[in-house]
Amino acid sequence: MTQTLPQGDQSLLASLKTIVGTHHVLTSEAETYRFRHGFRFGAGNVLAVVQPGSLVELWRVSQACAQAGKIIIMQAANTGLTGGSTPDGNDYDREIVLISTLRLTGIHLIGEGKQVVCLPGATLYELESKLAAIGREPHSVIGSSCIGASVLGGISNNSGGALVQRGPAYTEMAVFGQVGEDGVLRLVNHLGIQLGDDPEAILGKLEAGTFSDADINWDAGRGHDGNYISHIREVDADTPARYNADPGRWYEAAGCAGKLVVFAVRLDTFPANKNPSVFYIGTNSTDELEDLRRHVLTAFDELPIAGEYIHRDAFNIAEKYGKDTFAIIRKFGTAFLPKMFAMKSRFDIFTKKFGFLPENLSDRIMQALSVFIPTQLPKRMLDYRDKFEHHLMLKVSASLTAPMRAYLTEYFGRVSGDFFECTPDEGTRAFLHRFAAAGAAIRYRAVHHKEADDIVALDVALRRNDREWFEKLPKDIEDKIIVKLYYGHFLCHVMHQDYVVKKGYNAIAVEHSMLPGLDQRGARYPAEHNVGHLYQAPDDMLAHYRSLDPCNCFNPGIGQATKKKNWVAESV
């Protein structure tokens, strides 16, 4: 392949191989496939995928690419839903080097674990496991679409999540590389830890963790959004609780969307909730759930840990098309899933060589085998599925359990719905089933490829005072859809809405036809998966990206902006 490349590209590839080793510079279509194809959306060509093995290697790779005038796309776990960490087509004006940070997995506990410093490839699973040993938790926990997700990916995209009290991922403390208008990459240390002045020395000390408490400034900045807990209680506010385009949650690495090379972030951690309880709620009335939501957010001194919604249709799709994922997580834990997805990707790449084999063969095989897996859901959940259209799981702390039980007993004594208190096993299965819903939509499309065109995946932040939270689509849109999956973080009024579009209709066009209705409702989107290449970023968001990346050399095209160097308009 390198014989046909221009001399400059050959020289760059040679330099990259010298920095990280030949085996960690991938150039063939098969080798790069799983990196340049998004989890759900987005694909394009790259000059190379580079896998640095240290922060110093990441710095040198980024310098080499910047000096060569190449586009840099930073990628961690590639779990996003909007194509924000992969190329988007092949209409760029420069070659792309995609830098995968999965080998950079370090985590340092500081302040007796009250804060952490995470390197680019650190995953939520690794962070949860490390903190569990000392009775603490990270800001975010593994959710529906982010199994295997990285900590830095969440920060870069202000990702939300299931935890009611903590809000979107946010920090004001980071070490990052930034390319200025002159095209030069510079290292910025705003981590609040003294590490020296030389970039490579800084990064070496940072990765090794060779700094002491005396080097740490404990007043360097915020490590999470501490205002969110009061923000979400404002149930009469005419604006959403959280969404990606909220300027109040952008700060350098936080919300950078890949417009910087982030080497590390510093975050707060939290005491782990011991012996939480889960209440499973069912109703056929959306008003009942909304009244419950408003009361739970305003009448108790303490907020629930999580409040997750799933509609009956999503319940059924997840039960059938997410059963194998559910069973694998229960048997092997979430740590196994990235390995499984990697094996699945390699299998799909291999089968593409044989034109007579069908598309999505791995999904179809896994779905066929899943019929031999026994039912994973408790009988009480299945009974509620048959009785009720709307389901809500409330997880609360041990101290909130008795007051919540008393309230739910009184409330459902006078309305049509009902609830039960889960056993620990039922509670675990209920939340795992809810988080299997997003992947189930992808499996459904793969299996029903003859009838299904594609998936429209919206994550929508509704107004906090919106009582009409359950969507009613116009008939002309409804007729283009096979199935709809509604699920989400109900107490935050953030809903995930997945639609499998019928063959013969363009999924992007269907999505665009839905957006005016959301605009009329005062909703904001995306709520937590960021604009990626699917959504048009508002002007203030684009101005934020331009301030971070004046040359437009990192992840160009995000928010449907221009892909051209120096933000030159596409028509020029």
Side-chain angles (χ1 to χ4, degrees):
M1 177 178 177
T2 55
Q3 284 81 9
T4 62
L5 291 175
Q7 184 62 45
D9 291 350
Q10 292 186 44
S11 297
L12 175 61
L13 291 178
S15 297
L16 297 176
K17 291 174 182 178
T18 299
I19 295 169
V20 304
T22 300
H23 292 300
H24 298 298
V25 178
L26 314 178
T27 56
S28 74
E29 289 192 15
E31 289 176 322
T32 61
Y33 180 88
R34 66 188 178 98
F35 298 95
R36 54 188 175 84
H37 283 72
F39 176 67
R40 212 185 236 183
F41 173 85
N45 296 331
V46 297
L47 176 65
V49 172
V50 185
Q51 302 170 300
S54 70
L55 294 187
V56 170
E57 287 185 4
L58 175 57
W59 169 252
R60 292 174 179 174
V61 166
S62 302
Q63 276 190 315
C65 293
Q67 289 169 359
K70 304 304 182 187
I71 288 169
I72 298 172
I73 294 181
M74 300 298 302
Q75 184 185 95
N78 192 16
T79 57
L81 302 187
T82 59
S85 60
T86 58
D88 176 47
N90 298 312
D91 56 342
Y92 294 85
D93 61 347
R94 294 150 288 165
E95 295 84 1
I96 297 169
V97 175
L98 190 153
I99 302 177
S100 170
T101 62
L102 290 179
R103 298 175 65 206
L104 308 174
T105 57
I107 297 171
H108 304 305
L109 305 186
I110 61 175
E112 299 180 335
K114 292 180 181 178
Q115 289 188 331
V116 292
V117 174
C118 295
L119 304 191
T123 66
L124 282 177
Y125 175 80
E126 292 163 342
L127 181 56
E128 283 187 74
S129 299
K130 194 155 191 168
L131 290 175
I134 59 170
R136 297 189 71 83
E137 294 177 339
H139 169 277
S140 303
V141 297
I142 291 169
S144 55
S145 63
C146 62
I147 293 171
S150 71
V151 177
L152 262 69
I155 292 295
S156 295
N157 294 298
N158 288 135
S159 298
L163 299 180
V164 175
Q165 302 172 23
R166 298 179 193 171
Y170 178 80
T171 187
E172 296 171 356
M173 297 172 286
V175 174
F176 56 90
Q178 184 173 28
V179 175
E181 293 181 2
D182 57 2
V184 176
L185 180 71
R186 295 176 177 85
L187 190 70
V188 179
N189 179 11
H190 287 171
L191 199 64
I193 302 177
Q194 289 296 324
L195 297 167
D197 298 313
D198 176 71
E200 294 197 0
I202 288 172
L203 296 175
K205 288 184 69 174
L206 177 57
E207 184 162 10
T210 52
F211 48 84
S212 67
D213 283 355
D215 297 318
I216 301 173
N217 175 7
W218 296 105
D219 298 314
R222 294 189 295 163
H224 81 287
D225 179 8
N227 299 323
Y228 187 74
I229 198 165
S230 57
H231 188 69
I232 193 178
R233 288 185 183 272
E234 298 171 2
V235 295
D236 292 316
D238 198 37
T239 56
R242 56 181 172 92
Y243 54 97
N244 288 123
D246 181 356
R249 298 191 178 98
W250 301 333
Y251 192 94
E252 298 177 340
C256 72
K259 287 293 185 179
L260 302 168
V261 184
V262 184
F263 292 90
V265 295
R266 178 175 160 190
L267 305 168
D268 294 336
T269 71
F270 305 85
N273 285 286
K274 297 179 180 178
N275 303 314
S277 297
V278 174
F279 296 96
Y280 198 95
I281 295 161
T283 180
N284 291 312
S285 167
T286 57
D287 285 338
E288 287 181 9
L289 276 193
E290 183 58 25
D291 288 340
L292 182 151
R293 171 184 168 272
R294 295 173 68 87
H295 183 88
V296 165
L297 289 177
T298 58
F300 294 95
D301 292 336
E302 180 184 350
L303 290 179
I305 299 166
E308 292 296 294
Y309 168 81
I310 186 168
H311 184 265
R312 177 192 280 154
D313 292 345
F315 185 114
N316 290 333
I317 294 292
E319 181 192 13
K320 182 174 181 179
Y321 296 95
K323 184 168 64 171
D324 55 335
T325 300
F326 187 119
I328 288 168
I329 294 174
R330 286 194 62 238
K331 178 70 173 177
F332 301 106
T334 55
F336 178 72
L337 283 187
K339 299 176 185 176
M340 185 189 77
F341 288 139
M343 290 188 291
K344 178 178 178 295
S345 177
R346 284 192 287 268
F347 178 83
D348 287 337
I349 293 167
F350 176 75
T351 57
K352 280 182 177 293
K353 298 177 181 178
F354 304 95
F356 59 89
L357 292 176
E359 289 283 323
N360 305 306
L361 183 58
S362 62
D363 279 300
R364 294 164 72 173
I365 292 173
M366 292 170 72
Q367 186 60 33
L369 293 175
S370 73
V371 300
F372 299 105
I373 299 174
T375 298
Q376 300 293 300
L377 299 179
K379 183 178 185 304
R380 289 201 287 183
M381 282 178 61
L382 296 172
D383 290 343
Y384 265 47
R385 182 267 311 276
D386 296 337
K387 291 173 61 177
F388 299 116
E389 181 180 2
H390 306 284
H391 300 239
L392 178 66
M393 290 143 272
L394 278 182
K395 180 182 288 188
V396 300
S397 68
S399 60
L400 188 55
T401 296
M404 187 62 69
R405 183 190 300 121
Y407 163 67
L408 294 176
T409 300
E410 184 277 329
Y411 182 65
F412 286 107
R414 55 185 170 85
V415 297
S416 62
D418 204 352
F419 83 99
F420 65 85
E421 189 170 347
C422 295
T423 66
D425 181 63
E426 285 176 327
T428 298
R429 293 187 188 224
F431 272 85
L432 183 52
H433 180 62
R434 150 65 186 93
F435 292 141
I442 298 171
R443 174 68 59 78
Y444 182 97
R445 177 192 62 181
V447 172
H448 296 273
H449 60 100
K450 292 183 179 179
E451 301 89 29
D453 176 77
D454 208 340
I455 294 173
V456 171
L458 296 175
D459 55 301
V460 179
L462 304 175
R463 292 175 292 119
R464 283 169 282 174
N465 65 351
D466 191 351
R467 296 195 61 90
E468 302 297 325
W469 59 271
F470 191 72
E471 182 177 66
K472 296 178 178 64
L473 288 174
K475 187 176 185 303
D476 64 317
I477 298 178
E478 188 87 48
D479 290 344
K480 299 172 183 175
I481 295 169
I482 302 174
V483 293
K484 300 174 294 185
L485 283 75
Y486 295 117
Y487 52 95
H489 316 302
F490 187 64
L491 298 186
C492 300
H493 255 193
V494 168
M495 303 301 295
H496 294 279
Q497 302 175 176
D498 294 348
Y499 314 85
V500 181
V501 177
K502 293 178 182 177
K503 189 74 80 176
Y505 296 102
N506 181 275
I508 300 298
V510 171
E511 177 181 359
H512 288 170
S513 70
M514 295 175 174
L515 301 184
L518 293 173
D519 294 337
Q520 290 172 9
R521 296 171 62 191
R524 299 297 297 264
Y525 48 87
E528 56 185 19
H529 289 292
N530 220 334
V531 290
H533 290 285
L534 273 182
Y535 299 94
Q536 184 172 346
D539 289 343
D540 55 354
M541 197 174 205
L542 292 179
H544 170 63
Y545 292 157
R546 284 194 294 269
S547 70
L548 296 177
D549 177 24
C551 69
N552 203 22
C553 54
F554 288 101
N555 219 2
I558 288 293
Q560 299 183 3
T562 177
K563 296 177 179 176
K564 294 186 181 297
K565 186 177 181 179
N566 298 326
W567 298 89
V568 173
E570 289 291 333
S571 59
V572 176

